[in-house]
């Protein structure tokens, strides 16, 4: 609320009383988004430091200031020597204006996302902007210095407008005053009682008894009303002292607040991602448990092998597991024994997948629970209210930003294999293939695919300065053949090319790509990483 109209209207007359007759001695900037103005009356000095960055616009009033010997630049040279007449707040706005006796005007626009300082040598003179990219600010016109009577009239109009506020509150009553009203029953109050509640708040804002330094939703703020956690209570008759106390405190606590917010977001994201991944794995495991397994079908084929005619496309047998008839599809040009063998192999892979899914569910649920426990600790551990304690706790639990920036291989949504220090990723379906090739793969990764048939995209992750060994390429090619329509071929041709030569044409179906350059290797399809096959 340090830029709110109701605080600025308290600050403006206090600055007028303090600065009337002072002359501008220096005007410069030595940090980004900072404007420093030094004023003097010949025996005393007064410093005004405008923070004009979008993250924290503010007027700081340090009691002393030392200009750096380097990296500072003079600004608004025509402002030097100007003598202050009055300081006023624009009606119903977050703007403070300094009027000089020569007619020059300096306007501080304290809007949250686009603060600025605008200087004019006369009310109708061209504008000189501190933030020159905000060209529209050149059209802002300085307001005439109001008389005391007009200020009283303005106050009366504010109260009168509040009396008519039933559904809509006055514009200045945003954020903290609005929260205060709602905390004191505004939303539940009958319509005829709401103007009275607004009038009570307006009276407190017009003549605050105290200024409050508060913490609300992880932010340190200056308030004219008691809200949130009150850190300090300051006299309501000295806005300059309140601002001098608030700005250094807010800047000092800003790093803590930002890191706390980022850490909370990280933990919430981890809990959400882990919970979602566990739910997906649980659904897949449930589907596998309720499907007729490959081993089940293979057992039926072998049990009725003598009943299967040559080149049959399907047979109907009695399922001795369920005591119900079951139709089994066959390949007419493949012996039933070979079909059963392939089904047993798939059944073994299905068992491996079920085991991996169960492990993934347990791991991801544990990750979600850990993240939620860390969030609870953030609300209950007193040492986390200090930046040093927060950073030590974050390091203790491995929550530093750098290690969490990249996902580990086990968290990737693909089949993952490791071979001689190289990571091999295998897509799971057409949409997943697109995700792997278009989003995850780097241009220098090796891309593989069974030639001329549908199948999984396979990627060998590039390692800087290390060419991919041929055995790794061969194993990845075997995977490409195994996870394709050529799974049961004796030999499978596999395309190998850097990912930069793979592109997806406009309008292509999921998983469809064009390969501009390639070499072809012949391999026997299989999973070389399945230890039970070795």
């Amino acid at each position: 609320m340090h830029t709110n109209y109701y605080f600025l209207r308290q600050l403006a007359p206090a600055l007028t009383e303090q600065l009337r007759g002072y002359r501008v001695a220096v005007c410069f900037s030595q940090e980004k988004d900072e404007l420093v103005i030094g004023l003097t009356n010949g025996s005393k000095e007064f410093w005004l430091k405008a923070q004009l960055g979008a993250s924290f616009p503010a007027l700081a009033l340090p009691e002393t200031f030392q200009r750096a010997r380097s990296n500072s630049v003079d600004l608004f040279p025509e402002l030097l020597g100007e003598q202050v007449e009055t300081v006023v707040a624009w009606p119903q706005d977050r703007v403070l204006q300094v009027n000089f006796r020569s007619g020059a005007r300096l306007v501080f626009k304290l809007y949250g996302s686009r603060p600025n300082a605008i200087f004019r040598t006369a009310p109708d003179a061209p504008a000189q902007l501190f933030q020159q990219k905000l060209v529209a600010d050149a059209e802002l016109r300085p307001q005439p210095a109001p008389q005391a009577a007009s200020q009283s009239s303005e106050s009366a109009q504010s109260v009168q407008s509040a009396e008519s506020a039933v559904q809509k509150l006055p514009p200045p009553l945003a954020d903290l005053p609005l929260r205060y009203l709602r905390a004191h029953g505004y939303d539940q109050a009958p319509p005829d009682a709401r103007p009275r509640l607004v009038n009570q708040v307006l009276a407190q804002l017009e003549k605050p008894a105290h200024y409050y330094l508060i913490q609300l939703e992880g932010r340190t703020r200056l308030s004219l009303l008691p809200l949130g956690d009150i850190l300090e209570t300051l006299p309501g008759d000295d806005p300059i002292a309140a601002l001098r106390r608030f700005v250094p405190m807010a800047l000092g606590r800003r790093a803590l607040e930002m890191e706390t917010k980022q850490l909370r977001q990280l933990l919430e994201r981890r809990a959400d991602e882990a919970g979602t991944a566990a739910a997906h794995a649980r659904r897949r495991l449930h589907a596998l448990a309720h499907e007729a397994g490959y081993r089940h079908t293979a057992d039926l084929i072998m049990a009725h092998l003598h009943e299967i005619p040559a080149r049959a496309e399907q047979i109907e047998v009695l399922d001795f597991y369920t005591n119900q008839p079951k139709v089994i599809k066959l390949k007419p040009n493949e012996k039933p024994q070979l079909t059963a063998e392939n089904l047993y192999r798939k059944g073994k892979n299905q068992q491996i997948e079920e085991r991996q899914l169960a492990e993934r569910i347990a791991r991801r649920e544990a990750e979600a629970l850990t993240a939620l426990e860390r969030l609870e600790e953030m609300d209950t551990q007193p040492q986390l209210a200090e930046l040093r304690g927060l950073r030590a706790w974050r390091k203790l639990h491995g929550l530093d930003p750098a290690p969490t920036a990249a996902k580990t291989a086990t968290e990737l949504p693909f089949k993952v294999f490791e071979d001689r220090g190289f990571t091999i990723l295998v897509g799971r379906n057409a949409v997943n293939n697109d995700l792997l090739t278009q989003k995850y793969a780097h241009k220098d990764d090796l891309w593989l695919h069974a030639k001329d048939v549908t199948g999984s995209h396979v990627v060998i992750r590039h390692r800087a300065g290390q060419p991919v060994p041929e055995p790794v390429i061969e194993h990845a090619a075997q995977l490409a053949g195994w996870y394709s329509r050529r799974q049961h071929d004796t030999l499978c041709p596999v395309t190998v090319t850097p990912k930069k030569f793979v592109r997806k044409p406009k309008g292509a179906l999921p998983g469809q790509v064009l390969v501009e350059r390639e070499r072809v290797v012949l391999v026997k399809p299989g999973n070389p990483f399945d230890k039970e096959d070795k």
Side-chain angles (χ1 to χ4, degrees):
M1 206 170 173
H2 61 289
T3 61
N4 183 273
Y5 164 70
Y6 285 101
F7 178 74
L8 294 182
R9 66 175 292 139
Q10 306 296 327
L11 180 64
L15 287 176
T16 296
E17 181 179 354
Q18 174 73 45
L19 294 179
R20 180 176 280 123
Y22 275 62
R23 293 184 183 273
V24 177
V26 292
C27 179
F28 61 93
S29 177
Q30 61 187 34
E31 292 186 17
K32 184 181 178 183
D33 299 327
E34 174 190 88
L35 177 65
V36 180
I37 299 175
L39 304 103
T40 181
N41 63 358
S43 59
K44 297 180 181 179
E45 62 180 27
F46 190 94
W47 292 94
L48 191 154
K49 184 171 71 170
Q51 306 275 359
L52 299 174
S55 59
F56 184 71
L59 289 179
L61 307 175
E63 295 189 22
T64 60
F65 192 87
Q66 296 295 325
R67 183 174 183 176
R69 295 182 179 180
S70 59
N71 298 325
S72 68
V73 58
D74 292 318
L75 296 173
F76 302 148
E78 294 170 292
L79 180 60
L80 301 182
E82 293 286 352
Q83 192 171 18
V84 176
E85 179 64 28
T86 58
V87 181
V88 297
W90 285 16
Q92 312 295 323
D93 210 341
R94 291 167 292 169
V95 179
L96 201 68
Q97 176 177 302
V98 182
N99 301 312
F100 298 97
R101 291 181 179 175
S102 67
R105 301 287 186 263
L106 179 62
V107 172
F108 294 103
K109 184 181 70 131
L110 301 174
Y111 295 0
S113 59
R114 51 190 193 282
N116 206 353
I118 305 106
F119 174 64
R120 297 175 187 270
T121 56
D124 296 325
Q128 301 177 39
L129 305 179
F130 176 77
Q131 300 281 16
Q132 299 186 20
K133 61 184 178 182
L134 303 177
V135 293
D137 289 350
E139 303 302 320
L140 291 176
R141 307 307 302 178
Q143 301 297 300
Q147 302 298 321
S150 64
Q151 289 201 12
S152 300
S153 174
E154 179 187 315
S155 174
Q157 289 174 2
S158 296
V159 175
Q160 186 176 2
S161 67
E163 291 173 352
S164 63
V166 177
Q167 299 297 331
K168 185 177 180 181
L169 297 175
L173 291 185
D175 196 16
L176 295 183
L178 182 56
R179 288 171 184 262
Y180 183 82
L181 275 169
R182 287 178 169 165
H184 288 75
Y186 179 87
D187 291 334
Q188 294 76 28
D192 58 347
R194 290 181 179 179
R196 176 176 54 81
L197 294 175
V198 174
N199 281 336
Q200 291 175 354
V201 171
L202 280 173
Q204 290 178 267
L205 295 175
E206 295 284 351
K207 293 183 178 180
H210 300 94
Y211 297 116
Y212 303 93
L213 305 186
I214 66 170
Q215 187 170 30
L216 183 66
E217 296 181 351
R219 293 174 57 196
T220 302
R221 306 184 65 178
L222 173 66
S223 175
L224 279 64
L225 302 165
L227 277 172
D229 296 327
I230 299 176
L231 305 175
E232 290 188 31
T233 301
L234 304 171
D237 59 354
D238 194 348
I240 293 178
L243 203 56
R244 281 177 170 161
R245 179 71 184 117
F246 164 70
V247 174
M249 175 187 285
L251 290 174
R253 296 174 62 91
R254 190 173 166 206
L256 172 66
E257 292 165 356
M258 289 181 64
E259 291 191 22
T260 300
K261 180 180 178 181
Q262 291 169 356
L263 189 54
R264 189 175 294 278
Q265 289 175 342
L266 169 65
L267 290 169
E268 289 172 350
R269 184 170 64 250
R270 279 192 179 183
D272 183 61
E273 289 177 353
T276 301
H280 285 318
R282 200 178 295 109
R283 286 196 292 269
R284 174 60 179 162
L285 185 61
H286 182 269
L288 289 175
H290 290 77
E291 289 177 356
Y294 294 117
R295 184 178 293 275
H296 178 164
T297 304
D299 288 344
L300 293 177
I301 292 175
M302 295 304 294
H304 297 85
L305 193 61
H306 62 285
E307 302 173 10
I308 302 174
R311 305 187 67 80
E313 294 187 1
Q314 66 179 34
I315 59 168
E316 183 174 342
V317 299
L318 180 66
D319 188 340
F320 46 75
Y321 288 106
T322 63
N323 205 30
Q324 298 292 327
K326 178 179 176 63
V327 176
I328 301 174
K329 293 183 178 180
L330 300 170
K331 296 181 179 180
N333 56 351
E334 183 177 86
K335 290 182 179 181
Q337 295 94 326
L338 182 57
T339 301
E341 181 183 341
N342 291 331
L343 288 173
Y344 280 126
R345 185 182 293 112
K346 288 184 177 180
K348 182 175 58 181
N349 291 337
Q350 182 174 327
Q351 289 178 340
I352 294 171
E353 184 179 3
E354 289 175 350
R355 185 175 66 249
Q356 291 174 342
L357 285 170
E359 292 172 353
R360 185 183 305 167
I361 291 169
R363 184 179 70 251
R364 299 300 263 164
E365 286 181 341
E367 291 175 5
L369 180 61
T370 299
L372 293 174
E373 288 175 346
R374 298 288 177 263
L375 281 169
E376 186 176 350
E377 286 181 29
M378 290 186 68
D379 295 327
T380 57
Q381 297 287 344
Q383 70 269 23
L384 303 186
E386 298 293 335
L387 185 59
R388 180 178 298 177
L390 179 72
R391 288 177 174 173
W393 181 84
R394 184 182 67 188
K395 185 175 182 180
L396 175 65
H397 294 294
L399 297 171
D400 286 328
T404 60
K407 292 189 175 181
T408 62
T410 57
E411 294 176 315
L412 295 173
F414 316 108
K415 295 182 179 72
V416 181
F417 304 92
E418 294 290 334
D419 190 12
R420 293 171 172 80
F422 287 82
T423 301
I424 303 173
L425 306 177
V426 180
R428 296 180 179 274
N429 51 48
V431 175
N432 196 241
N433 283 340
D434 273 350
L435 179 66
L436 172 58
T437 300
Q438 305 301 323
K439 300 295 183 183
Y440 277 77
H442 185 268
K443 66 176 183 176
D444 293 325
D445 292 345
L446 278 185
W447 184 90
L448 302 91
H449 193 280
K451 192 167 178 62
D452 300 329
V453 293
T454 58
S456 293
H457 295 190
V458 178
V459 167
I460 305 174
R461 281 283 176 85
H462 169 72
R463 297 183 66 182
Q466 298 185 35
V468 181
E470 284 301 319
V472 176
I473 296 175
E474 181 180 348
H475 290 162
Q478 287 181 279
L479 290 172
W482 181 249
Y483 293 105
S484 77
R485 287 290 180 90
R486 295 187 184 273
Q487 183 181 80
H488 304 301
D489 290 3
T490 305
L491 287 175
C492 172
V494 175
T495 293
V496 182
T497 186
K499 190 269 172 185
K500 61 186 175 184
F501 298 124
V502 180
R503 63 182 181 86
K504 186 172 183 65
K506 185 176 181 181
L509 295 175
Q512 288 186 343
V513 293
L514 287 180
V515 179
E516 296 177 352
R517 300 184 190 178
E518 64 177 347
R519 72 181 176 103
V520 177
V521 297
L522 286 174
V523 295
K524 180 181 178 180
N527 184 351
F529 304 100
D530 188 345
K531 295 180 180 179
E532 296 181 24
D533 280 347
K534 294 182 180 178

